[in-house]
Amino acid sequence: RASSTTAGLKQAATPLLFIHGASDRVIPCANSRFVSSAVLDGQAEYVEVEACGHCPMEERPAEFVQTVKAFVLRTLASK
C-alpha cells in the first residue's frame, strides 16, 4: 500500500504540508516522514508537533493554525 500512496505523491503539483504529533500512538511519525519524503522537488514540508498525540488540530490548536498559516503564506509568496 505504501508504494501506491507514494507513487501518487510523486506527481503532486502543489506543495503539501504534513503535520504529525510527536507522541502519536495511532500512526508512527516515521510513516509521515516517509510519505512526505516521497514528494518530489521539495514540494512537501513535514512538521512534528511536540507534546502532541494523534490530533494536533485539537490538542495544540494555536500551534496547528500558526503552522498552517505560515505554510500557506510561504507557499503564496513563492508563486
Side-chain angles (χ1 to χ4, degrees), residues 14-58:
T14 187
L16 303 172
L17 174 63
F18 294 83
I19 303 175
H20 204 111
S23 301
D24 191 336
R25 293 182 183 172
V26 179
I27 300 172
C29 293
N31 289 21
S32 288
R33 277 191 230 103
F34 171 75
V35 172
S36 68
S37 71
V39 179
L40 296 181
D41 301 326
Q43 287 276 68
E45 184 174 325
Y46 173 79
V47 176
E48 199 165 287
V49 181
E50 294 299 320
C52 184
H54 187 65
C55 296
M57 69 293 282
E58 292 178 12

